Amino acid sequence: MNTIRHLSRADAIKAGALDWAAAVEDIKTTIRLLHDGQAGMVAESVMPLGADPRNKAYGLPAFVGGRYDAAGLKWTVHRAEPTGDLPSISSITIINRLSDGAPVGSVESALLTRMRTAAVSAIAMRALKPGGVTSVALLGAGAHAETHLDMLVRLFPSVQEIHLWNRTKAHLDRLLDRVTPGATRILAYDDLDAALDEADVVICCTSAPVPFIGPSTVRPGRLIMQIGFHEVLFETIAATDVVAVDLWGDFAEKSAKSLFQMYRAGEFGPDRVAADLPAILLDGWQPPAGASLYFSSFGLNVFDIAFAARLLHRAAGLNIGAVLPSV
């Protein structure tokens, strides 16, 4: 009998969803497969769910060959704010085998999205700041900020201080309550400028619908990373020496990310993108010394498919998850 396997978040964690080394390797391997034509994706299909542009549902299909042998769809529903005990983002990824189309299973994937996003941030930080990082300003207090905080602590032992800021203090207090003390100093700020003051890297993980990162944030040698919704003013992007992205694609025509809004407004040309992940990982591209840097992370669904395929394969070997008949 043909079966499919479903992994809850707890199942995914048992199968290795929180393994940072595996997450980073998935990103690197998938980029190589993309470059070789063995992985691909098409533009997301977006369905608005109200007047607030943050309220939407979207489907993101992709395929990844090689050891992943997967074709899949990530289905996600975003709400502007959490409701009751529900998170603001719910997501599931469905996987079929690429080689023969057989259904494999599904994974609760909001956690996977956060892991792959932070893994991309780690790769970008290492490449764009090859001299190392000692101080990071992390803006936001939601799930993406929490995952980035864990990534920084685990993958960047050179970071001496992480400066946390969030517009809503109660949310920041909840994040601090979940922090495990360690060697890295983690400091909370009420004032945004104070949080930014000494940072080598600024990581924006907010859901802000109105940009608040102004041109004064740009400094020689500083890296501004946009992970969240629409945080960075056009003037700020224009003021940076180097603009890098995870990838430039059809999503530039639809995405609400600041850089793509700037592009659609006619104020940014794709020719100004200095590097993307393939150039960074495969071609050895590095920024000029002392340049001010901006990195826009769109969030590539092809990584979600690779992550889910890896976890489903490992879960089958360990007999993790709920197994159901497929027909």
Side-chain angles (χ1 to χ4, degrees):
M1 179 177 65
N2 293 326
T3 61
I4 58 173
R5 185 177 303 270
H6 175 71
L7 303 183
S8 66
R9 181 174 301 182
D11 294 331
I13 290 171
K14 290 178 184 176
L18 298 179
D19 184 333
W20 283 112
V24 169
E25 185 56 36
D26 281 341
I27 302 296
K28 293 179 177 179
T29 301
T30 303
I31 286 294
R32 287 193 291 270
L33 292 168
L34 268 172
H35 180 267
D36 295 340
Q38 297 182 59
M41 54 195 162
V42 297
E44 65 184 0
S45 177
V46 181
M47 180 171 63
L49 296 177
D52 191 318
R54 293 172 293 176
N55 290 337
K56 61 183 179 179
Y58 55 90
L60 303 104
F63 71 92
V64 190
R67 67 172 182 257
Y68 301 101
D69 190 22
L73 173 73
K74 187 177 83 166
W75 172 251
T76 299
V77 175
H78 270 249
R79 309 300 300 187
E81 298 290 343
T83 302
D85 60 354
L86 296 174
S88 59
I89 300 173
S90 62
S91 182
I92 188 168
T93 296
I94 303 165
I95 298 294
N96 289 64
R97 278 202 303 265
L98 178 61
S99 54
D100 61 8
V104 176
S106 58
V107 184
E108 190 285 326
S109 55
L111 174 61
L112 301 193
T113 299
R114 298 198 294 270
M115 288 292 294
R116 61 92 160 139
T117 302
V120 168
S121 296
I123 289 169
M125 281 178 61
R126 287 171 174 166
L128 297 174
K129 296 288 292 179
V133 177
T134 59
S135 177
V136 176
L138 179 58
L139 313 182
H144 274 293
E146 184 173 358
T147 307
H148 273 75
L149 180 58
D150 186 64
M151 176 272 289
L152 290 168
V153 169
R154 294 179 184 275
L155 296 184
F156 288 87
S158 66
V159 172
Q160 298 170 8
E161 294 185 346
I162 301 173
H163 301 175
L164 301 180
W165 174 88
N166 189 65
R167 194 183 306 273
T168 305
K169 186 177 183 301
H171 296 170
L172 184 58
D173 290 342
R174 284 198 291 271
L175 174 59
L176 287 168
D177 287 342
R178 295 193 292 271
V179 171
T180 301
T184 305
R185 294 182 67 204
I186 299 175
L187 308 171
Y189 291 81
D190 295 326
D191 181 70
L192 175 59
D193 290 337
L196 295 173
D197 190 40
E198 299 297 328
D200 304 322
V201 176
V202 178
I203 304 178
C204 308
C205 289
T206 78
S207 59
V210 177
F212 63 94
I213 301 297
S216 63
T217 311
V218 177
R219 296 182 188 175
R222 172 179 277 177
L223 168 61
I224 299 172
M225 305 185 69
Q226 184 179 350
I227 312 304
F229 184 64
H230 181 31
E231 301 145 314
V232 183
L233 288 160
F234 294 174
E235 293 91 336
T236 307
I237 299 172
T240 56
D241 299 320
V242 171
V243 174
V245 297
D246 46 9
L247 204 65
W248 191 279
D250 293 342
F251 39 79
E253 304 296 338
K254 296 182 179 180
S255 172
K257 297 272 186 175
S258 303
L259 181 65
F260 299 129
Q261 290 198 41
M262 186 177 179
Y263 157 70
R264 293 195 299 275
E267 298 183 34
F268 183 89
D271 58 338
R272 215 203 133 191
V273 174
D276 57 13
L277 281 182
I280 290 169
L281 288 174
L282 304 179
D283 301 335
W285 179 91
Q286 288 192 343
S292 57
L293 311 161
Y294 167 81
F295 180 79
S296 179
S297 179
F298 171 73
L300 304 179
N301 51 304
V302 69
F303 298 143
D304 295 273
I305 303 308
F307 275 36
R310 166 172 59 89
L311 293 176
L312 283 164
H313 177 76
R314 190 159 191 267
L318 297 173
N319 195 28
I320 295 169
V323 179
L324 304 169
S326 62
V327 291

